[in-house]
Amino acid sequence: MANEEDDPVIQEIKPKQQKVELEMAIDTLNPNYCRSKGEQIALNVDGACADETSTYSSKLMDKQTFCSSQTTSNTSRYAAALYRQGELHLTPLHGILQLRPSFSYLDKADAKHREREAANEAGDSSQDEAEEDVKQITVRFSRPESEQARQRRVQSYEFLQKKHAEEPWVHLHYYGLRDSRSEHERQYLLCPGSSGVENTELVKSPSEYLMMLMPPSQEEEKDKPVAPSNVLSMAQLRTLPLADQIKILMKNVKVMPFANLMSLLGPSIDSVAVLRGIQKVAMLVQGNWVVKSDILYPKDSSSPHSGVPAEVLCRGRDFVMWKFTQSRWVVRKEVATVTKLCAEDVKDFLEHMAVVRINKGWEFVLPYDGEFIRKHPDVVQRQHMLWTGIQAKLEKVYNLVKESMPKKPDGQSGPARLVSGDQRVQVAKTKAQQNHVLLERELQRRKEQIQASSVLPGVRIKEEPVSEEGEEEEEQEVEEPMDTSPGGGLNSRLANGLPAGRAAGGDSFNGHPPPGCASSPVARELRAFVEATFQRQFVLTLSELKRLFNLHLASLPPGHTLFSGISDRMLQDTVLAAGCKQILVPFPPQTAASPDEQKVFALWESGDMSDQHRQVLLEIFSKNYRVRRNMIQSRLTQECGEDLSKQEVDKVLKDCCVSYGGMWYLKGTVQS
């Protein structure tokens, strides 16, 4: 003990903020005071018996405790103001405490309640039980406490709470606002000098005076982060320089249209300055801005998955970005094969800028921003030149086959170029020569069909019917185009100004293949739309398909190839050619469905595990207009085995059917 007393104090730790408690009496005689409620609170806290340790000795809640909390860590920027006789007197503040009601008495009430419950459960113990509870006690003397253990105990929360509870109360006397003592203390808030000559220090410029009044806080500058995190508010972000704002936003978002970036930065920001800043940290892909690879993978860093250095990661990610400048789709296996990176790194690249589609690949996450391309051709030209340089480096590193950048790829648009008339004629001749071979093959095939039908008149090639009125439609030489065609309202018997019968044949349009030809751009675009639509919605009626096609046309830019006029027959032929089948649903005789609503098409094979289940379900609906779930369950179990789970049944029903009135219908066939 003597050695401990002689040990010098090395460091004295004081709390950073002082906690103040203020106990104020409550006027229990006030008419607004609820006496019954006050008695109930005192009874819950102290119980029926009142003693010296009671919180409310008067058996009535007659006092309330207020506990202080620190409102701000830096009070040097605040002052108390007093306005008197046209003068504003400012007094700096060194501490601000906010008093809030303390409800510690509720904790005491809960403790009393638990003690009463424990006593009730234990019951009244007898003398014998009391004697049995007597146990032998072994007395041990604790070892001397070390200095390290003592410091840990002193800094513990329990010790601080106990010390705070043992602190004695200091009685204060309250003085009213009009009291002479209050008036005397208020005089300290007034500046004693009355003439301006004495205050020569205040004869300064407004900026110097503001600097004296609110000096910059060194503590705040140290605490301020160099770069904000994901949880930083937009208000704090806008305090940074514009270049840092753009870099932080692009680093967190990865891909962003220019319009969204301007909305985040605020209306007062100059778009020209933003364009200069965005080109330093991002690249243009399909009209949208994608953050540069060296921003995400800085120098001297490495992959968290494989440990590959940042230089290799940047090269692989640039390859993915370059692929998206040429197409909307990228295949993950192709990227992994070329870059020789692990699957996790390649997946990170793709997740930054694309979304996965089943049996399709990875699609760029944002739609093509044609508006930005049209407004800023100079920026597009500069980005095109940068991508040309990146392409040359990638071809050299990965030994790629050199292929020229497309003039107007799927996602990246270059500046418009002037093409002479001779060049246009030469391009038209080249296309005509390329299509000549296809036209010759198509003509030869049609001649062979005609010869076969003339030699064998009794033999008829069976084709899958497109609709219940298929034979009637085959006998008609003219087919009505959809309402989406430009000339549909004026001349429904023409397609691109030519008779529909001729359009359906093998004749070409100015040297180009007709829209119905599988090699024509119109047919390819229509085929892509049909395949993408049926991958999302496995069952569609012709009416719903035409509605979705109209919405697709509305989203296309003017002059697109699909505006050349798509007929109902061409749309249905494309659906059947895309691997879909028509389901001949037996509609009831009194149905109100239109002919287009009675033509139901379904994707027969999508390449996933549910193809067999979906085919069984579609066969059921080819014989029944509506079916109960138990019938579908039993048929699927019979065809696919006993191990079919409820989740698999629910999935195939969700893909193809809708429930109405306890029955299941194919999508688009239910009539409410």
Side-chain angles (χ1 to χ4, degrees):
M1 296 296 293
N3 293 334
E4 291 183 0
E5 293 178 355
D6 295 339
D7 287 344
V9 178
I10 299 176
Q11 183 180 5
E12 184 177 354
I13 301 176
K14 296 183 180 181
K16 293 183 179 181
Q17 61 179 13
Q18 295 181 354
K19 187 176 182 181
V20 179
E21 288 188 355
L22 180 63
E23 189 177 272
M24 299 183 63
I26 299 177
D27 186 7
T28 58
L29 301 179
N30 193 289
N32 296 325
Y33 180 80
C34 182
R35 190 175 184 84
S36 61
K37 192 67 175 179
E39 293 176 352
Q40 182 64 36
I41 293 176
L43 180 63
N44 294 338
V45 174
D46 299 327
C49 300
D51 51 15
E52 296 179 355
T53 61
S54 299
T55 304
Y56 304 111
S57 57
S58 62
K59 297 184 179 182
L60 192 68
M61 183 180 178
D62 55 357
K63 56 185 177 181
Q64 174 68 54
T65 303
F66 292 87
C67 185
S68 66
S69 62
Q70 193 171 13
T71 57
T72 179
S73 59
N74 184 11
T75 59
S76 61
R77 305 171 69 90
Y78 296 89
L82 185 63
Y83 186 78
R84 175 172 293 184
Q85 296 180 358
E87 297 177 348
L88 182 63
H89 300 260
L90 300 178
T91 303
L93 299 179
H94 299 285
I96 302 175
L97 293 178
Q98 182 181 13
L99 294 175
R100 297 180 178 179
S102 174
F103 301 97
S104 58
Y105 60 87
L106 296 178
D107 298 334
K108 297 180 181 179
D110 293 339
K112 291 283 185 180
H113 179 68
R114 287 193 294 268
E115 291 177 1
R116 287 194 293 268
E117 287 185 348
N120 294 335
E121 292 178 359
D124 297 330
S125 59
S126 61
Q127 183 68 23
D128 296 337
E129 293 174 348
E131 293 177 358
E132 292 178 0
D133 292 339
V134 176
K135 296 181 181 180
Q136 184 178 2
I137 299 176
T138 302
V139 179
R140 295 180 181 179
F141 295 94
S142 61
R143 296 179 181 180
E145 186 179 23
S146 63
E147 180 63 23
Q148 186 178 6
R150 188 188 68 82
Q151 290 183 1
R152 287 198 301 266
R153 179 177 60 83
V154 170
Q155 297 177 13
S156 64
Y157 176 78
E158 290 79 8
F159 181 82
L160 294 177
Q161 287 293 103
K162 182 179 179 182
K163 185 177 180 181
H164 176 72
E166 294 175 353
E167 185 177 355
W169 286 92
V170 178
H171 296 279
L172 302 176
H173 181 72
Y174 174 74
Y175 295 94
L177 182 63
R178 303 299 180 184
D179 193 270
S180 59
R181 180 63 182 269
S182 299
E183 183 64 27
H184 175 74
E185 294 292 336
R186 197 178 298 113
Q187 294 297 323
Y188 289 108
L189 299 178
L190 300 176
C191 182
S194 58
S195 61
V197 180
E198 299 177 2
N199 299 329
T200 55
E201 186 180 358
L202 296 180
V203 183
K204 296 182 179 297
S205 64
S207 59
E208 293 175 342
Y209 174 71
L210 289 176
M211 185 62 66
M212 293 174 57
L213 182 63
M214 298 180 63
S217 176
Q218 299 296 332
E219 181 181 358
E220 289 186 0
E221 293 180 358
K222 292 180 181 179
D223 294 342
K224 194 173 185 179
V226 178
S229 61
N230 291 336
V231 298
L232 192 68
S233 65
M234 292 301 299
Q236 293 174 310
L237 180 65
R238 290 175 179 174
T239 59
L240 301 176
L242 180 60
D244 293 341
Q245 295 184 45
I246 298 174
K247 181 178 179 180
I248 293 166
L249 286 173
M250 292 305 304
K251 186 176 181 180
N252 291 328
V253 182
K254 308 293 190 306
V255 184
M256 189 186 304
F258 185 75
N260 291 13
L261 179 62
M262 290 298 301
S263 63
L264 291 175
L265 294 176
S268 60
I269 304 299
D270 184 18
S271 61
V272 178
V274 177
L275 278 175
R276 286 197 298 265
I278 191 64
Q279 295 183 68
K280 297 178 181 178
V281 298
M283 296 291 293
L284 191 65
V285 179
Q286 301 189 22
N288 302 280
W289 291 99
V290 182
V291 64
K292 288 185 177 180
S293 301
D294 55 357
I295 301 296
L296 297 180
Y297 303 107
K299 191 177 180 180
D300 299 332
S301 64
S302 60
S303 168
H305 305 293
S306 59
V308 175
E311 181 181 359
V312 180
L313 293 177
C314 293
R315 190 185 306 132
R317 188 173 180 274
D318 288 344
F319 175 75
V320 176
M321 294 170 61
W322 173 72
K323 292 291 291 183
F324 275 120
T325 62
Q326 302 188 33
S327 174
R328 289 282 305 174
W329 301 90
V330 168
V331 181
R332 177 177 171 180
K333 290 184 179 179
E334 178 187 354
V335 176
T337 303
V338 173
T339 60
K340 302 296 190 297
L341 294 174
C342 68
E344 289 78 7
D345 290 333
V346 176
K347 185 179 180 182
D348 287 346
F349 300 158
L350 294 171
E351 287 180 344
H352 291 168
M353 63 192 82
V355 291
V356 63
R357 306 294 187 191
I358 300 176
N359 299 326
K360 297 285 288 187
W362 290 78
E363 183 183 11
F364 194 69
V365 67
L366 294 178
Y368 175 78
D369 192 354
E371 182 179 359
F372 179 83
I373 298 296
R374 291 190 297 269
K375 288 184 178 180
H376 306 281
D378 53 338
V379 177
V380 175
Q381 173 66 15
R382 192 178 301 111
Q383 291 291 313
H384 178 76
M385 296 173 61
L386 292 176
W387 277 121
T388 304
I390 293 176
Q391 179 189 1
K393 293 181 180 179
L394 294 175
E395 290 174 349
K396 182 178 180 180
V397 173
Y398 293 129
N399 296 324
L400 301 177
V401 178
K402 291 189 176 182
E403 49 186 37
S404 60
M405 292 285 286
K407 297 178 182 179
K408 190 175 181 181
D410 203 7
Q412 190 79 20
S413 175
R417 296 187 303 172
L418 183 62
V419 181
S420 63
D422 295 338
Q423 291 176 342
R424 292 184 180 181
V425 172
Q426 186 63 31
V427 171
K429 288 182 179 180
T430 304
K431 290 184 178 180
Q433 293 174 0
Q434 294 175 354
N435 296 329
H436 180 70
V437 179
L438 298 175
L439 294 176
E440 288 288 340
R441 292 177 182 176
E442 180 67 17
L443 181 60
Q444 184 65 26
R445 185 182 65 83
R446 290 180 176 272
K447 289 181 179 180
E448 292 176 357
Q449 290 181 354
I450 295 174
Q451 292 176 0
S453 61
S454 61
V455 175
L456 301 174
V459 179
R460 181 180 180 184
I461 299 175
K462 183 179 179 180
E463 297 181 358
E464 185 174 1
V466 178
S467 64
E468 296 179 358
E469 299 82 3
E471 297 180 357
E472 297 178 0
E473 292 179 0
E474 290 176 1
E475 295 175 359
Q476 297 177 359
E477 294 183 357
V478 181
E479 56 186 31
E480 295 185 2
M482 293 175 57
D483 294 338
T484 58
S485 61
L490 298 177
N491 190 357
S492 61
R493 306 176 68 86
L494 295 178
N496 294 335
L498 296 177
R502 181 181 174 186
D507 297 337
S508 62
F509 294 89
N510 297 327
H512 298 277
C517 182
S519 61
S520 66
V522 178
R524 290 196 299 268
E525 290 287 342
L526 185 60
R527 176 73 174 265
F529 162 75
V530 170
E531 290 178 350
T533 303
F534 275 93
Q535 284 290 342
R536 295 191 301 267
Q537 305 183 34
F538 295 91
V539 177
L540 285 171
T541 63
L542 180 59
S543 175
E544 179 65 13
L545 182 61
K546 291 166 65 175
R547 186 186 70 84
L548 296 176
F549 184 67
N550 288 332
L551 294 177
H552 179 65
L553 287 179
S555 64
L556 296 177
H560 197 273
T561 56
L562 286 180
F563 285 103
S564 59
I566 306 299
S567 65
D568 289 0
R569 170 58 67 83
M570 183 176 178
L571 182 62
Q572 295 175 78
D573 290 343
T574 306
V575 171
L576 297 178
C580 302
K581 289 189 178 182
Q582 182 179 2
I583 310 302
L584 301 179
V585 180
F587 283 85
Q590 68 277 10
T591 181
S594 62
D596 286 349
E597 292 175 344
Q598 297 185 31
K599 297 177 183 179
V600 184
F601 298 92
L603 182 63
W604 194 251
E605 291 184 358
S606 63
D608 58 5
M609 301 298 295
S610 302
D611 281 349
Q612 183 183 4
H613 308 157
R614 193 181 306 110
Q615 292 171 8
V616 174
L617 181 67
L618 295 175
E619 290 179 358
I620 295 175
F621 279 99
S622 64
K623 302 177 182 178
N624 302 274
Y625 171 65
R626 56 182 181 179
V627 188
R628 293 189 179 275
R629 181 188 173 92
N630 55 3
M631 178 181 177
I632 299 174
Q633 182 81 34
S634 60
R635 181 68 181 277
L636 287 174
T637 304
Q638 179 183 357
E639 297 289 339
C640 305
E642 298 290 342
D643 56 346
L644 189 66
S645 63
K646 181 178 179 298
Q647 289 77 10
E648 293 174 332
V649 178
D650 292 341
K651 181 181 183 304
V652 71
L653 287 176
K654 181 181 179 182
D655 291 342
C656 305
C657 303
V658 292
S659 177
Y660 183 79
M663 304 293 290
W664 288 88
Y665 302 79
L666 277 184
K667 288 183 177 179
T669 62
V670 59
Q671 301 294 324
S672 57

